[in-house]
Amino acid sequence: MSALHELLQNTPAFFIGLSLLLGLVVGSFLNVVIYRLPKMLELAWQQQCAELHGETAAPSQPFNLLTPRSACPQCAQPITAWHNIPLLSYLLLGGKCAHCAARIPLRYPLVELVSGLLCAFAAIHFGYAWATVGAMLLIWFLLALTVIDLNTQLLPDDLTLPLLWAGLLFNLSGVFAPLPDAVIGAIAGYLALWSVYWGFRLITGKEGMGYGDFKLLAALGAWLGWQMLPLIILLSSLVGAGVGIALILFAGHQRQAPIPFGPYLAGGGLIALFWGDALTRNYLQLLHT
C-alpha cells in the first residue's frame, strides 16, 4: 500500500490516468442508476397505492440496481462483460446492439465520457488529496441527478439526501468548507428555494419548482458552504433563463411547460466547486474598484 501511495503521490500523470479510468467505470454504473432508479421508485409507488386500496400486489421479479442483469431493451439479450466496457464497447460495436443491431442511445457513452473527463479534471485541479475523492463523489451524484431530472423531472431523495449527508461528512475536517459553514449552507440552501417556491405559489397559485430542487441546493450548501450559494443560484438562474428563452424562441417550447432546474443547479455547483473562490474573489475586487 505504501508503494502505491508513493506512486500516486509522486506520479501525477498516473494519478490523473487512474482517475480518468475510474470515472469511466463509475460512469458505466451511473447509466444503470439513471435508467433503473426512476423505475424502482415507480414500482414502489405502485405497490404503496395498491396497499392503500387494500389490494395485494402480485409478486414480481426483483428489480434493483444489481438485479436483473443488464440486457438490450429491444431483444432482451443479456449484455456480456465484453460488450460493457466503457466507451470502447460502444465504439467497437458501432453504437449498435451486438445481437439485434438496435441503436444504443448516445446518452450511455456520453455519461461515461463526461464522468471520466470530470474526474480527471478533479485530479488535475486538486491533486492527490481527499478533496479529489470528495469532488469525484460530488461529480457522480450531480451527473446522475442531472440526467434523471432531464428524463423524468425528478430529483430522487435516494440521491439528494445521501449527497447532503456526504457533504457534511467530508467537511467534518473542513475539506471544502468549515463544518459550521457547511451546516449553515445546508439550511440556507433549502430555505432559499423553499422561500422562492412559496412566494411564487402565493402570487401565482402555481408551483414553480419541485422539492427536490430545495434538497439539491441544500446538498450543495453542505458541500461548499453557505458562501457559495449566491454564486450557484446566480449561475443556475442565468443559464436556466437563457436555455428557457432559447427553447421558447427556437424549439417551440410552451411557456407553461415545466423545465427541470436541477441540471442548472448541478452545473452551478460544479463551477463553484472548481472556480467558486476565484470567481467570488474577482467579483469582490470589482466592487472595490
Side-chain angles (χ1 to χ4, degrees), residues 1-283:
M1 290 296 294
S2 59
L4 178 61
H5 172 76
E6 292 181 5
L7 178 63
L8 292 172
Q9 189 173 31
N10 300 326
T11 314
F14 179 75
F15 178 58
I16 294 167
L18 190 63
S19 300
L20 173 65
L21 180 60
L22 178 62
L24 292 173
V25 173
V26 175
S28 181
F29 177 70
L30 291 181
N31 279 317
V32 177
V33 176
I34 290 164
Y35 177 77
R36 295 194 182 193
L37 183 56
K39 294 183 179 295
M40 290 163 54
L41 294 174
E42 184 178 355
L43 290 172
W45 295 333
Q46 291 174 354
Q47 184 177 3
Q48 292 169 6
C49 289
E51 291 174 354
L52 288 173
H53 287 86
E55 301 172 1
T56 302
S60 59
Q61 296 294 328
F63 186 84
N64 51 52
L65 297 180
L66 301 177
T67 304
R69 186 174 158 189
S70 297
C72 173
Q74 297 295 325
C75 66
Q77 186 71 24
I79 299 174
T80 66
W82 294 108
H83 294 156
N84 205 25
I85 303 173
L87 283 184
L88 184 60
S89 292
Y90 182 87
L91 296 174
L92 293 177
L93 293 172
K96 298 179 181 179
C97 172
H99 302 280
C100 67
R103 272 283 170 195
I104 300 173
L106 188 60
R107 185 202 81 200
Y108 291 95
L110 280 179
V111 168
E112 294 167 354
L113 180 62
V114 170
S115 175
L117 292 178
L118 285 177
C119 287
F121 183 75
I124 295 171
H125 186 83
F126 293 110
Y128 184 64
W130 278 109
T132 301
V133 178
M136 288 181 180
L137 188 62
L138 180 58
I139 286 165
W140 293 329
F141 270 88
L142 292 180
L143 185 53
L145 286 165
T146 292
V147 183
I148 290 175
D149 200 17
L150 288 172
N151 290 340
T152 65
Q153 295 188 3
L154 290 173
L155 290 171
D157 288 353
D158 300 66
L159 294 178
T160 54
L161 297 184
L163 181 62
L164 189 155
W165 292 114
L168 295 178
L169 182 63
F170 263 87
N171 284 325
L172 281 175
S173 55
V175 174
F176 295 102
L179 183 59
D181 292 351
V183 174
I184 295 172
I187 298 170
Y190 189 92
L191 291 179
L193 292 188
W194 179 88
S195 302
V196 172
Y197 168 88
W198 280 107
F200 184 83
R201 186 169 183 175
L202 289 173
I203 294 172
T204 66
K206 301 177 181 178
E207 296 184 358
M209 62 181 64
Y211 280 66
D213 296 317
F214 314 164
K215 297 167 190 173
L216 177 54
L217 187 59
L220 291 172
W223 277 88
L224 305 176
W226 65 267
Q227 294 90 341
M228 291 297 166
L229 291 177
L231 177 64
I232 295 171
I233 294 173
L234 176 62
L235 290 171
S236 57
S237 299
L238 289 176
V239 176
V243 172
I245 293 171
L247 289 174
I248 293 172
L249 293 178
F250 303 111
H253 192 85
Q254 298 296 320
R255 294 183 182 220
Q256 294 79 12
I259 297 175
F261 191 51
Y264 308 119
L265 285 174
L270 285 179
I271 293 173
L273 170 68
F274 292 120
W275 301 289
D277 290 333
L279 289 172
T280 303
R281 186 167 54 251
N282 291 336
Y283 175 73

